[in-house]
Amino acid sequence: MAVRAGPHVPVPLRRERGRTRRDAPRRGRGPDLLPAGRRPLGPGRHAALRAQLRQYDDDLDGALADLREARSPASGFGSLSVGDEVFGDLRWIDLYLRRGDLDRDRELLDAGERDLRGGTLFPGDHARTLVGSVRAAYCLETGDLSGAEQALAQTYAAALAARDLPPLSLVAVQTAAFAPAHGRQHRAAALLGAASRLRGAHDRTDRQVRDLTCRGRAALGEGAFTAAYGTGRELDGQAAVTAVALARLRREFGAARPGHG
């Protein structure tokens, strides 16, 4: 995942014009104050949903066009919530990374991390986990293994602080992407299984999970990959939390040479 800028590209994780939601004037039970499931789906939300579907289908140009529409002032009623904006920004980053626009990726990531240090309306530890997992993906894409390792350690700490299992599944997936660089193909497959345990379900829609699964099957063979994936999937919750810790993977690096995963 990566970073970009341009006339249609928002500053990621930005504050609501310097105000927190608590500071904003209350306007009765308008659309922004309704529960998410009861808010009208205006053009902005429709465009954001289309962008997500296009992203799943690898229609990158179409997804970018929809994200621009979602952030356009013309999208009007049904504008995005703060949480929607956070996820929208991360979709921008993912799209630019997949298109190879690494300069824009870095720009957005840097801006997002600055905003997190200054505070955000989105729950802090969840936001740090999301942005940290994106930073790790960006470092892996650019071959910066040291940067990826640092990002993974910080992301794991943020996910633990969030006290929720699904954020840890993001860490598991990024650690699974990191492991093959050190020859740990079986560990990568087990981490994908642990990720499914932490999120509570298999994920066949996420591009990175699909790519890692295809590479793992190619490297290990169908039977060995399935067995390794199963060992992670069958872990209980606490064991899965421990399994995705980067410190555990570091200990294993000393016991195996690359290519002997």
Side-chain angles (χ1 to χ4, degrees):
M1 300 187 175
V3 191
R4 69 291 132 127
H8 299 287
V9 180
V11 176
L13 310 183
R14 65 184 182 280
R15 291 170 177 269
E16 201 172 43
R17 297 187 181 277
R19 301 184 303 182
T20 65
R21 181 161 293 180
R22 187 176 297 170
D23 297 329
R26 301 184 69 84
R27 297 183 292 275
R29 289 189 65 79
D32 289 340
L33 298 179
L34 291 174
R38 294 173 56 194
R39 293 177 194 150
L41 277 180
R45 282 202 175 85
H46 277 300
L49 289 172
R50 279 201 314 271
Q52 187 171 2
L53 292 173
R54 290 184 195 273
Q55 212 162 342
Y56 288 150
D57 291 336
D58 293 324
D59 178 5
L60 305 187
D61 291 337
L64 278 174
D66 285 332
L67 284 176
R68 290 185 181 114
E69 180 182 339
R71 289 297 174 85
S72 166
S75 65
F77 189 65
S79 59
L80 302 180
S81 69
V82 174
D84 289 335
E85 289 196 11
V86 170
F87 285 108
D89 288 331
L90 294 175
R91 287 191 198 111
W92 280 99
I93 292 172
D94 180 49
L95 283 169
Y96 278 123
L97 182 63
R98 292 165 67 180
R99 289 162 60 94
D101 198 339
L102 300 181
D103 289 338
R104 289 187 173 187
D105 270 346
R106 186 180 62 252
E107 217 172 288
L108 279 181
L109 270 174
D110 291 346
E113 289 169 345
R114 284 195 301 271
D115 283 355
L116 283 176
R117 287 194 292 270
T120 178
L121 298 177
F122 199 62
D125 293 317
H126 286 78
R128 275 184 278 277
T129 302
L130 288 167
V131 175
S133 68
V134 173
R135 172 65 74 179
Y138 173 82
C139 289
L140 287 171
E141 183 70 19
T142 57
D144 180 6
L145 295 184
S146 176
E149 187 170 346
Q150 181 179 358
L152 283 171
Q154 293 172 350
T155 304
Y156 182 71
L160 286 178
R163 298 180 178 277
D164 199 6
L165 293 182
L168 282 159
S169 73
L170 299 175
V171 184
V173 171
Q174 296 304 337
T175 308
F178 180 74
H182 293 271
R184 306 299 291 163
Q185 293 286 359
H186 283 89
R187 173 55 61 193
L191 284 163
L192 288 175
S196 73
R197 173 65 182 86
L198 291 164
R199 92 170 62 85
H202 304 290
D203 188 353
R204 296 178 177 86
T205 62
D206 183 85
R207 173 192 59 88
Q208 188 177 25
V209 172
R210 293 199 310 264
D211 289 349
L212 290 171
T213 298
C214 288
R215 292 178 207 159
R217 285 176 173 150
L220 299 173
E222 181 69 31
F225 176 86
T226 300
Y229 183 97
T231 62
R233 174 68 182 170
E234 292 164 8
L235 295 171
D236 62 39
Q238 187 54 54
V241 169
T242 302
V244 306
L246 188 62
R248 176 172 177 171
L249 201 58
R250 284 196 193 106
R251 288 195 297 271
E252 293 180 2
F253 292 162
R257 299 187 307 278
H260 293 72

